[in-house]
Amino acid sequence: MSHYKFVFAIENTWTETYVTEKLFYALDSGAVPIYFSAPNVMDFVPPRSIIDGNKFSSMEELATFVKSLANDLVAYAEYHSRRRCGILGNYGNSRVASLDSLPCRSWEFISQKGGRNARAL
């Protein structure tokens, strides 16, 4: 995904607060995600970091917006401002709580308890 300006991130379920690794991987890649699913997705990402595909009335309208954004370097750079400003909004908590980080969090917990020498958890 890192080779592209934009990537689609489409969830399997269209439900409020259902945001998965599809969105987080797209954000982490450096591309601007074009996201379809949770209507409250902006509660989970930094401001102006994704294109919410749900907000467009047609694919033609979305395509026109994406084409204009791709050709406007200043406007496109605004979608990457979070990289300069650090983690904004609820993104940090949302990213840490996502399922794809569960193995890392588990190993961190075990390590803090003494690793292989830890007593039963």
Side-chain angles (χ1 to χ4, degrees):
M1 288 186 275
S2 64
H3 299 285
Y4 301 97
K5 281 188 167 185
F6 305 95
V7 295
F8 281 103
I10 304 170
E11 302 290 2
N12 298 331
T13 301
W14 198 290
T15 304
E16 189 144 329
T17 71
Y18 185 79
V19 177
T20 70
E21 78 285 348
K22 292 175 181 80
L23 176 59
F24 298 128
Y25 288 164
L27 276 169
D28 293 348
S29 76
V32 174
I34 301 170
Y35 181 77
F36 289 93
S37 187
N40 64 330
V41 66
M42 297 312 292
D43 293 344
F44 301 95
V45 297
R48 198 155 169 109
S49 61
I50 71 166
I51 298 169
D52 186 352
N54 303 315
K55 302 295 183 195
F56 294 86
S57 60
S58 69
M59 284 294 141
E60 291 79 15
E61 183 184 354
L62 173 60
T64 299
F65 177 78
V66 171
K67 284 179 186 178
S68 69
L69 186 59
N71 292 318
D72 184 338
L73 296 177
V74 173
Y76 181 78
E78 289 178 16
Y79 281 82
H80 293 281
S81 63
R82 65 187 167 82
R83 297 180 190 288
R84 293 187 307 275
C85 301
I87 296 173
L88 303 171
N90 291 328
Y91 178 69
N93 293 333
S94 301
R95 186 67 177 104
V96 168
S98 68
L99 286 178
D100 69 301
S101 68
L102 181 61
C104 298
R105 288 182 284 139
S106 299
W107 285 113
E108 181 180 32
F109 177 77
I110 291 168
S111 177
Q112 290 173 353
K113 298 295 181 185
R116 289 184 176 184
N117 299 323
R119 296 179 190 234
L121 303 174

